[in-house]
């Protein structure tokens, strides 16, 4: 009995040492992967969404998976990068034109209409600011120097954040292309879910995949279509900073607020101009555009709600706070999957056995 105690102590020490080493390695690996966590999650979502198209394409190409994946990745990158380049060129041209106008002294600001004063909350301040710029540009800039500098800092921060988000999306698309081709990666993900979920692994796997499809169609799909409709109106009516407003419309549509705030501002701006007839026509367009999600959601979601709206809202806000623009997409999808898995686990109750007494 006395000889067994040192042996047991040695065994316990070895187990503790092994567990400590395992946790140390796991912690180090997690720390290395943390910067890539959101791109990897986004890549998994993209791989699930575009896998049916990849499967169809690789069959048409007689099993050449690498070529099918390259075509899909190239198309996605073109769709992402091309509008970004156009937007950056437009903003750059505006900045260069503004700078040239300031240096040459030819920059003029039109006298604002009196009806701007009727805008709620900001009407008086907006009119005073625009009027001071129209009468004496330099004096107006000096008067509102602090506000302009603060706004410039926020815009610069937003540009840097958007650049990082764009790079994350590009990296995610490339990783998604690798995941679609790699059979080992697909098997690893499937086996991991089954290992965690046990006997319910297949059910949880189906729930995860179907939830991704439904969220992309019902939330992101509706937001993108509604934003495209908005973009037609914003660029068509000639409102300033149409590209920035389109981006804001996309963000507001994703978080289920809708572009109503942007539309009200645009309508107020249009009525501040002289052409009342054009303003009235564009107002009808923006009202219909703001209500278009009420038609699109039933068409894309089908019967029944996907998840409670609170789940989507919390996922979007939490994702945005955690990861910026990319989180707007990843947040609601991951949170919806978690909600679905939790609901499935709660519904999976053990059968109640009723024991009848002989008494």
């Amino acid at each position: 009995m006395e000889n067994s105690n040192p042996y047991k102590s040695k065994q316990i020490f070895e187990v503790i040492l092994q567990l400590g080493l395992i946790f140390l390695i796991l912690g180090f690996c997690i720390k290395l992967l943390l910067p890539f966590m959101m791109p990897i999650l986004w890549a998994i979502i993209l791989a699930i969404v575009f896998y049916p198209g990849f499967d169809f394409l690789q069959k048409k190409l007689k099993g050449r998976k690498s070529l099918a994946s390259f075509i899909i990745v190239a198309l996605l990158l073109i769709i992402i990068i091309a509008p970004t380049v156009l937007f950056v060129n437009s903003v750059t041209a505006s900045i260069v034109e503004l700078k040239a106008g300031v240096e040459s002294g030819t920059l003029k600001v039109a006298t604002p209409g009196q009806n701007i004063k009727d805008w709620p909350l900001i009407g008086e301040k907006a009119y005073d600011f625009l009027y001071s710029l129209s009468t004496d540009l330099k004096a107006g800039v000096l008067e509102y120097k602090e506000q302009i500098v603060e706004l410039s800092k926020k815009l610069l921060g937003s540009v840097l954040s958007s650049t990082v988000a764009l790079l994350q999306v590009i990296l995610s698309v490339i990783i998604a292309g690798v995941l679609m081709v790699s059979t080992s990666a697909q098997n690893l993900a499937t086996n991991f879910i089954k290992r965690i979920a046990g006997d319910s692994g297949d059910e949880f796997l189906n729930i995860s995949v179907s939830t991704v499809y439904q969220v992309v169609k019902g939330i992101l799909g509706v937001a993108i279509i509604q934003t495209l409709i908005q973009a037609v109106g914003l660029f068509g009516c000639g409102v300033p900073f149409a590209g920035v407003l389109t981006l804001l419309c996309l963000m507001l549509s994703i978080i289920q607020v809708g572009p109503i705030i942007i539309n009200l501002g645009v309508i107020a701006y249009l009525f501040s101009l002289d052409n009342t007839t054009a303003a009235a026509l564009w107002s009808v367009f923006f009202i219909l555009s703001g209500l278009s999600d009420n038609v699109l959601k039933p068409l894309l979601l089908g019967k029944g709600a996907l998840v409670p709206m609170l789940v989507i809202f919390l996922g979007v806000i939490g994702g945005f706070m955690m990861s910026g623009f990319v989180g707007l997409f990843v947040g609601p999808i991951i949170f919806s999957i978690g909600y679905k898995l939790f609901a499935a686990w709660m519904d999976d109750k053990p059968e109640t056995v009723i024991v009848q007494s002989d008494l």
Side-chain angles (χ1 to χ4, degrees), residues 9-225:
S9 299
K10 183 180 179 182
Q11 277 188 320
I12 293 172
F13 177 75
E14 288 180 350
V15 170
I16 293 174
L17 184 63
Q18 290 171 354
L19 288 175
L21 184 61
I22 290 172
F23 282 118
L24 181 64
I25 294 174
L26 284 175
F28 189 71
C29 291
I30 291 173
K31 188 174 181 179
L32 288 174
L33 285 175
L34 275 179
F36 304 99
M37 190 61 67
M38 294 307 296
I40 290 174
L41 289 175
W42 188 224
I44 293 172
I45 293 167
L46 289 175
I48 292 173
V49 171
F50 290 102
Y51 189 82
F54 162 78
D55 188 50
F56 172 80
L57 192 57
Q58 64 97 9
K59 289 178 180 178
K60 292 294 183 180
L61 295 173
K62 299 179 180 180
R64 287 181 283 186
K65 294 183 178 180
S66 298
L67 180 59
S69 176
F70 175 79
I71 292 173
I72 291 177
V73 169
L75 289 175
L76 287 176
L77 290 178
I78 291 172
I79 293 172
I80 293 169
I81 294 175
T84 303
V85 172
L86 293 175
F87 173 73
V88 170
N89 288 338
S90 175
V91 172
T92 304
S94 299
I95 293 174
V96 171
E97 184 180 352
L98 180 64
K99 181 175 180 293
V102 171
E103 291 177 348
S104 62
T106 58
L107 181 64
K108 301 294 181 182
V109 177
T111 303
Q114 291 291 330
N115 49 2
I116 292 180
K117 293 181 178 180
D118 299 331
W119 294 2
L121 300 178
I122 62 170
E124 291 288 342
K125 292 182 179 180
Y127 177 83
D128 292 339
F129 174 67
L130 294 174
Y131 183 77
S132 63
L133 293 181
S134 64
T135 54
D136 191 341
L137 183 61
K138 291 184 178 180
V141 170
L142 291 175
E143 182 180 354
Y144 294 93
K145 180 181 178 181
E146 293 182 1
Q147 292 86 339
I148 293 174
V149 170
E150 187 67 25
L151 179 60
S152 301
K153 289 181 179 179
K154 291 182 179 180
L155 289 176
L156 182 60
S158 300
V159 169
L160 293 175
S161 176
S162 301
T163 302
V164 173
L166 177 64
L167 294 176
Q168 286 183 339
V169 171
I170 292 173
L171 178 61
S172 299
V173 171
I174 296 172
I175 296 174
V178 176
L179 292 178
M180 287 188 289
V181 175
S182 176
T183 306
S184 59
Q186 298 169 18
N187 293 334
L188 178 64
T190 302
N191 293 334
F192 177 76
I193 293 177
K194 290 182 178 180
R195 182 86 175 186
I196 297 296
D199 295 335
S200 303
D202 290 330
E203 180 184 359
F204 280 10
L205 184 63
N206 292 333
I207 289 174
S208 301
V209 174
S210 63
T211 301
V212 170
Y213 283 131
Q214 291 179 355
V215 170
V216 169
K217 284 195 310 179
I219 305 302
L220 304 184
V222 170
I224 291 172
I225 294 174

